[in-house]
Amino acid sequence: MRIPILTFMISAMALAQTPLPVADAGRLESMHGKTVMLFTPHPDDDTFCCAGTLYKLAQNGNRIHIVIYTNDDKGSYDPDMTSERLARIRMHEEEEACRVIGIAKDSILLLQYHDGMLEYANPRDLVEQVTGLIRKVRPDVVLSVDPGTDYVRWHKTDHRMAANNTMDAIRAAEWRLYFPNQGLHDGLEPWRVPEEYYYYAGKDANYFVNIDDVVEIKLKAASAHVSQFSPAIEKYRADWDPAALEKLKAELRQIGKRDGHYVEAFRRATGFNEE
Amino acid sequence: MRIPILTFMISAMALAQTPLPVADAGRLESMHGKTVMLFTPHPDDDTFCCAGTLYKLAQNGNRIHIVIYTNDDKGSYDPDMTSERLARIRMHEEEEACRVIGIAKDSILLLQYHDGMLEYANPRDLVEQVTGLIRKVRPDVVLSVDPGTDYVRWHKTDHRMAANNTMDAIRAAEWRLYFPNQGLHDGLEPWRVPEEYYYYAGKDANYFVNIDDVVEIKLKAASAHVSQFSPAIEKYRADWDPAALEKLKAELRQIGKRDGHYVEAFRRATGFNEE
Amino acid sequence: MRIPILTFMISAMALAQTPLPVADAGRLESMHGKTVMLFTPHPDDDTFCCAGTLYKLAQNGNRIHIVIYTNDDKGSYDPDMTSERLARIRMHEEEEACRVIGIAKDSILLLQYHDGMLEYANPRDLVEQVTGLIRKVRPDVVLSVDPGTDYVRWHKTDHRMAANNTMDAIRAAEWRLYFPNQGLHDGLEPWRVPEEYYYYAGKDANYFVNIDDVVEIKLKAASAHVSQFSPAIEKYRADWDPAALEKLKAELRQIGKRDGHYVEAFRRATGFNEE
Amino acid sequence: MRIPILTFMISAMALAQTPLPVADAGRLESMHGKTVMLFTPHPDDDTFCCAGTLYKLAQNGNRIHIVIYTNDDKGSYDPDMTSERLARIRMHEEEEACRVIGIAKDSILLLQYHDGMLEYANPRDLVEQVTGLIRKVRPDVVLSVDPGTDYVRWHKTDHRMAANNTMDAIRAAEWRLYFPNQGLHDGLEPWRVPEEYYYYAGKDANYFVNIDDVVEIKLKAASAHVSQFSPAIEKYRADWDPAALEKLKAELRQIGKRDGHYVEAFRRATGFNEE
Amino acid sequence: MRIPILTFMISAMALAQTPLPVADAGRLESMHGKTVMLFTPHPDDDTFCCAGTLYKLAQNGNRIHIVIYTNDDKGSYDPDMTSERLARIRMHEEEEACRVIGIAKDSILLLQYHDGMLEYANPRDLVEQVTGLIRKVRPDVVLSVDPGTDYVRWHKTDHRMAANNTMDAIRAAEWRLYFPNQGLHDGLEPWRVPEEYYYYAGKDANYFVNIDDVVEIKLKAASAHVSQFSPAIEKYRADWDPAALEKLKAELRQIGKRDGHYVEAFRRATGFNEE
Amino acid sequence: MRIPILTFMISAMALAQTPLPVADAGRLESMHGKTVMLFTPHPDDDTFCCAGTLYKLAQNGNRIHIVIYTNDDKGSYDPDMTSERLARIRMHEEEEACRVIGIAKDSILLLQYHDGMLEYANPRDLVEQVTGLIRKVRPDVVLSVDPGTDYVRWHKTDHRMAANNTMDAIRAAEWRLYFPNQGLHDGLEPWRVPEEYYYYAGKDANYFVNIDDVVEIKLKAASAHVSQFSPAIEKYRADWDPAALEKLKAELRQIGKRDGHYVEAFRRATGFNEE
């Protein structure tokens, strides 16, 4: 889904109302040697909202797992595009964006729901599936899309479903009596996720990662999603016209530049969605 | 559904916090020769929220299509009423209200879900159905019920489902790869809705149409919904007792009269629910 | 579900921003000889949010019916616990808590959905079932969990489903044409609930019951839910270690103590969720 | 559903290919003091297929429980009929038919699904509901509609669903680990149905009850279903024109009279559908 | 679905065990000026099972309506084929086959379910949709796929669903109280289908149409389905290699030639699936 | 599910009506070096129906994959049994039975549906899941439960669902356009299963494997399912009382011994369920 990108960029890079506190050892971007699990509705939301933070996490030697709910196989105006081909393109773009920020291809798991159709998946099965993934990866930190009030309007379909489902799976993962088959037959143990950072949090954001030093890397990662932007969204081409690329980057730099800092905004929560 | 009418009237006619800007050529109510598509959960929400605006749009020579999700066949206290009869009454009342504001009977399409049961329709099929309608009508403007945060509490069942579904269909209509059978077998082309006005937007309203000059026409249209008010809601009769009608109108005039102007309030958005 | 208890205690006992008006004859806690119906997602939300109010209502000779949606059979870390045993423990704890506040065992109805699975029940059937209960009990007042905007994030699964479902059933109960089989075969008449008090209302709370005089009874009722707290949540034991119990109570007293008063907070509405 | 009555009468009264063995103490119709549970898709299938047998069972002092899946609220050509009224008529007719064969009104339980809509009920919930009924009644014998091969064509919708569902519930009722909430919260114990007699068994029938001596009582019970036959099916009237009634009875007598005996045909099975 | 064609040809053309009675005025193939409605799971089952009969019906001046459940968009081995393109090809082939047997393009209605996915459609909605079609067309005769015992094994998915659904819709169409919205809002009246001919009836076939005189026309119609056969099924081409076509026809002629006559076999029923 | 074992043993070991043809190179039991995939509703149906054949196939150096739909976690009368423990026991028994006939533990895949609940799984997802497995294993032969007419009565719930689902997946696996994500994201290619042997085929069986020489091995494998028989089904114990075991084996030997040969009976089909 392309349309809301600029809109989201604004909130994703929104400047903190109050001066950012100095980064310290307890902060997300200073973490080392941990396991991080990120959930994204489509193969691009993660880049647009978290690429700077992910790059820092990767640089710090954390293990990062990307779980993508849908294959984003609908959003092209190209009259010759097919869904199968678009899904392939979108996956390759995600792999390239991940490469830029230092995440290997085999750390990406695609759940393969179709774009715009996550809402219609069996919700109980979807929670069970993601609960199993969390119990397997046992992350120290989860990044996911916020199931919050501000974005109800926007979160319908894939976004809302991904947001609610990840949160529900975090809750279920903690208690052995949810989906006991996972322990019985697959040997998975319960896992309590200690800390979550929700993106697309709108005015509920309470945690801001300063990405001034890595904003160009983020833009490089963002521009790997060629097919999400003009002109490739109208008529697919695999590469950028250099001028068009420069124009996009200039635009993105403009949006993010407020009060002197680029940030990525999150709502931080602990345990099962508590402050 | 009758109960919340007065409540809604208040918000629907709510006065703008800030003085209304003068109407100009770019404004909704000044539009000419366009195609307008309105979605309403029941055959009365459109009247109560948009009758003044619709009248102006009709006067200006725009083509108006009304799509009604449910047949409103439950909300009567009359012990002898049946659902089939109530549905017939409600449809006739809607036709009369539309006649008052200048919309012909054959511009009304009833999707025929039962009152209070839209929530339980197959959501994927419902999006597909409305996507097809949008692709067929190809509207310049859509009016629909707001899928927004303020009204989550209220939007459960028909209202929430209608709100979300219309928004999702607007999104799907734009991309050829959603529901490709519609192109393949019915010859429908994708359509991008350029502009939406969402009613029942509560505190998110950002667009106000001054209806001072047509408020009496709106009241006349509203009073076509005889069976939604006392005494016909308790014991059906097709016409008004003149005193009861005058009392209702006086009440409605009272509610809407704030700061000197009657307005109809909307949240305006462009593209797929962007500002 | 245990984790959010402290969080909820805060909001449930939150002090009114403005001084509390003096209780008078029209207030909830002054009601006599009425029928009260409370809906709770799990057998403990009612205690944590409403025990003080319920005690007063019971003392005043009101008839109280407790309807519990789920059997809360998942939330234990005890490696030897089974879901069946946990459900039995939770039901007994609820009965004990009710005994403390003066509600008899046979006033409790358990709908028997499994913890965390209410979301996946057939929503139409669930509304029909609760509509029938309301038509049978014919309550003067309903207490239920708020389907409001603030708690969308939190209300996913059981909480949101219970909140929306109760509200929908209140609406359906009023109109004879919803679920006409209930009249036809079971002799149930429509019933309009005149007044609701929604708990877990967050910042939408508009009604506060002062429980200064009964806070110790509430704490006693709360502590009947032994298995929801440490140490019984880690390794089940039926009774409290006295020191642990005293520590919990001290903690709860701390949370609730703001501006000099303990309160239970509600959003009050009349008719079908109107102010 | 009226149309297939004559067709079914034929098979229901079909003469045994081989001479009937003499009734003895072990036979269904000789049973005394037992609990019998009959499941029927509509309030008339039981009469048309089993009235003679039921009369004998009632005479012998057995306790009989009738469970009716649907309320048969569709099958009338009367242009003024409503579904609610038809359901009421059909229930009264069933009560009258039961009175004729000696079964009291309060032994009839109506599950209240709508005619033709049982297929669309949630199948898991339906099995759970009927499993609970079996565990409560603890029948020595179950009579139900045959889920057999011959009637696949006919058993679509209500008939097939009722047939399969009853059989599945018989199986589930036996094992404590199916629907353990029924034991936990309702105190119901597992129950193994020892013996079943399936009607509408077509060529799989293996058990024939001679009803020569009670055929007139059966016809009287059948004729209680006034609204299922001409002329009341075209234009409802509560009573029979005497000539029309005599004509029907003559017709039915004709059909059943083969090889000198009237019989009711069943497929007998033991345990969970074994021979 | 291609694989079973030869298998089906055998049964479809199977010679009657007993000599065919001479065609007379009451027979299907002698009908004049009537309305015939044929339901087919895919755009080819109708040709393979009924082309000869349809040709005769068209010649006799009957109005024929073809309703196709699925668009048959899966069955190709061509590695470059897409589902959208295959659906378009299959529809064109059906139109060509219909042209050969004298049925105009605008008499074909495609319901647009995807191949192999009819089983997963909402069954209640599907019955309602087809009930509406029957009430609109008001056919004197319906041809459809048999919901019979012999073909349970084969009828899974599209075939079984189409078979059961058409039969259920025939039943519902007759009674005004099924889907009353169709009368209320669309002005459709109930319709009782007097006579049905079920194809794919296997050993339950009881009605055989002699097609000796039109077998070459049937083969021509069958060969319009180019993409269902080698070589086009492996690598699509729009036309036949003349040798391959001749080989196919020879094969088909061989299969059908038993006891000296070509026939199309049906199970005839009256009313709602009665003999 | 225990009850029908003896019933099934009878049909599974049923003697061929006609003398068995001599085994030759083309026969199932003579196959070498092939890939065999067996689907079973519960972890015991495979043993009771196919153990002799499987043993021969294993001896001949074929690769055998066992796919088990449900975990069989309901069928125990032991009042202290839990579903989790029973599932573990049943899986261990299956592993032991497989060990006896020469199939390694890691060749067994458990899909983990609960006993009696396969019917309520999402049917589309279930077909997709099994289609993926077939495309991964690419079997030369599939053994599965027969979706045939004789066993409709019995195949309700797990058996019918497993039978139909496997057959549908065999069909879908062949065509690239079914579930194209499997090719796109998982690199799976379409696979056409050349040959199937369906067990529980009743009177449709057309293929009999003589197991005279391995019947004792089959009995040993069967007796690994300790918990399915008395006394362990009433009160679980892991081992056999020697006398009870001998009694069972004697009984089984009796059942199978007809016309001088033990056989396992199948319905053989090629391609997608063709003869």
Side-chain angles (χ1 to χ4, degrees), chain D residues 36-42 45-46 50 65-69 109 111 129-131 133-134 137 139 141-146 162-163 165-167 169-170 193 197 199:
Chain D
V36 176
M37 196 169 187
L38 177 144
F39 292 90
T40 178
H42 309 94
D45 300 301
D46 53 337
C50 315
H65 297 257
I66 308 280
V67 182
I68 308 175
Y69 276 100
L109 177 67
L111 299 187
Q129 180 181 23
V130 172
T131 300
L133 291 175
I134 292 173
V137 169
V141 170
V142 163
L143 282 75
S144 187
V145 54
D146 194 8
N165 188 70
T166 306
M167 192 184 72
I170 287 172
V193 176
Y197 294 84
Y199 55 92

Side-chain angles (χ1 to χ4, degrees), chain A residues 57-206:
Chain A
L57 287 167
Q59 290 296 102
N60 289 352
N62 299 287
R63 288 168 301 283
I64 302 176
H65 298 258
I66 308 280
V67 181
I68 308 175
Y69 276 99
T70 75
N71 66 1
D72 212 9
D73 60 350
K74 301 286 196 306
S76 170
Y77 299 115
D78 186 338
D80 298 323
M81 186 58 72
T82 67
S83 279
E84 278 77 10
R85 190 173 158 228
L86 187 57
R88 195 179 299 116
I89 289 167
R90 294 273 155 93
M91 192 60 192
H92 288 170
E93 292 177 352
E94 173 72 3
E95 289 170 358
E96 172 59 14
C98 281
R99 197 196 54 74
V100 168
I101 53 180
I103 298 171
K105 203 167 152 168
D106 59 8
S107 301
I108 306 173
L109 176 66
L110 180 56
L111 299 188
Q112 301 190 15
Y113 292 91
H114 293 279
D115 191 15
M117 298 291 142
L118 193 63
E119 185 90 4
Y120 316 125
N122 181 315
R124 194 193 160 290
D125 291 352
L126 195 61
V127 167
E128 183 166 2
Q129 181 182 24
V130 172
T131 299
L133 291 174
I134 291 173
R135 287 175 172 173
K136 198 167 171 190
V137 169
R138 305 175 77 75
D140 298 297
V141 171
V142 162
L143 282 76
S144 188
V145 55
D146 193 9
T149 58
D150 253 24
Y151 278 76
V152 167
R153 178 176 299 128
W154 234 104
H155 279 344
K156 185 61 175 50
T157 68
D158 300 341
H159 281 230
R160 191 177 66 172
M161 190 70 172
N164 282 341
N165 188 70
T166 307
M167 191 184 71
D168 280 3
I170 288 172
R171 182 205 49 176
E174 175 177 355
W175 306 102
R176 187 178 49 86
L177 295 172
Y178 275 101
F179 312 122
N181 271 354
Q182 297 187 342
L184 195 56
H185 300 298
D186 301 328
L188 295 174
E189 293 292 320
W191 179 250
R192 182 167 202 255
V193 176
E195 213 173 359
E196 301 104 43
Y197 294 84
Y198 293 107
Y199 56 92
Y200 287 154
K203 73 174 176 355
D204 294 327
N206 62 7

Side-chain angles (χ1 to χ4, degrees), chain D residues 156-176:
Chain D
K156 184 63 175 51
T157 70
D158 301 339
H159 282 230
R160 192 178 66 174
M161 191 69 171
N164 283 341
N165 188 70
T166 306
M167 192 184 72
D168 279 3
I170 287 172
R171 182 205 50 178
E174 175 177 356
W175 305 101
R176 189 179 49 87

Side-chain angles (χ1 to χ4, degrees), chain D residues 172-269:
Chain D
E174 175 177 356
W175 305 101
R176 189 179 49 87
L177 296 171
Y178 276 102
F179 313 122
N181 271 353
Q182 297 188 342
L184 196 54
H185 300 299
D186 301 329
L188 296 175
E189 294 292 320
W191 179 251
R192 183 168 203 254
V193 176
E195 211 173 1
E196 299 106 44
Y197 294 84
Y198 294 109
Y199 55 92
Y200 288 156
K203 72 176 178 351
D204 294 326
N206 62 8
Y207 194 96
F208 304 88
V209 176
N210 184 317
I211 59 163
D212 283 339
D213 50 341
V214 298
V215 72
E216 288 305 313
I217 288 167
K218 175 167 183 172
L219 293 185
K220 192 176 172 196
S223 62
H225 297 278
V226 180
S227 71
Q228 305 274 3
F229 298 95
S230 261
I233 199 167
E234 280 90 19
K235 181 64 198 166
Y236 181 66
R237 50 181 283 182
D239 59 345
W240 279 97
D241 169 84
L245 177 58
E246 211 36 61
K247 188 157 162 289
L248 170 75
K249 285 190 176 177
E251 218 172 273
L252 295 177
R253 272 186 214 105
Q254 196 71 18
I255 293 164
K257 197 71 182 180
R258 287 167 68 192
D259 244 33
H261 297 293
Y262 293 103
V263 299
E264 288 175 343
F266 301 94
R267 183 174 62 81
R268 182 182 180 276

Side-chain angles (χ1 to χ4, degrees), chain C residues 251-266:
Chain C
E251 220 170 270
L252 294 179
R253 271 186 215 106
Q254 196 71 19
I255 293 165
K257 196 70 181 183
R258 287 167 70 191
D259 244 30
H261 296 293
Y262 292 104
V263 299
E264 287 174 345
F266 300 95

Side-chain angles (χ1 to χ4, degrees), chain E residues 1-4 7 73-83 86 115-117 120 149-154 156-158 160 233, chain F residues 122-124 127 146-150 152 160 164-165 167-168 171 174-179 192 201 204 267 270-275:
Chain E
M1 279 196 283
R2 189 200 58 99
I3 293 303
T7 310
D73 61 349
K74 301 286 196 304
S76 169
Y77 299 115
D78 184 339
D80 298 323
M81 186 57 73
T82 68
S83 279
L86 187 57
D115 191 15
M117 297 291 142
Y120 316 126
T149 55
D150 252 26
Y151 278 75
V152 167
R153 178 178 297 127
W154 234 103
K156 185 60 176 54
T157 69
D158 301 339
R160 193 178 63 172
I233 199 167
Chain F
N122 182 313
R124 195 195 159 288
V127 168
D146 194 7
T149 56
D150 252 25
V152 167
R160 192 178 67 172
N164 283 341
N165 187 72
M167 191 185 70
D168 280 2
R171 182 206 49 176
E174 174 178 355
W175 305 101
R176 188 180 49 86
L177 296 171
Y178 276 102
F179 313 121
R192 182 167 202 255
D204 294 326
R267 183 174 61 83
T270 59
F272 168 37
N273 210 2
E274 300 165 279
E275 278 145 306

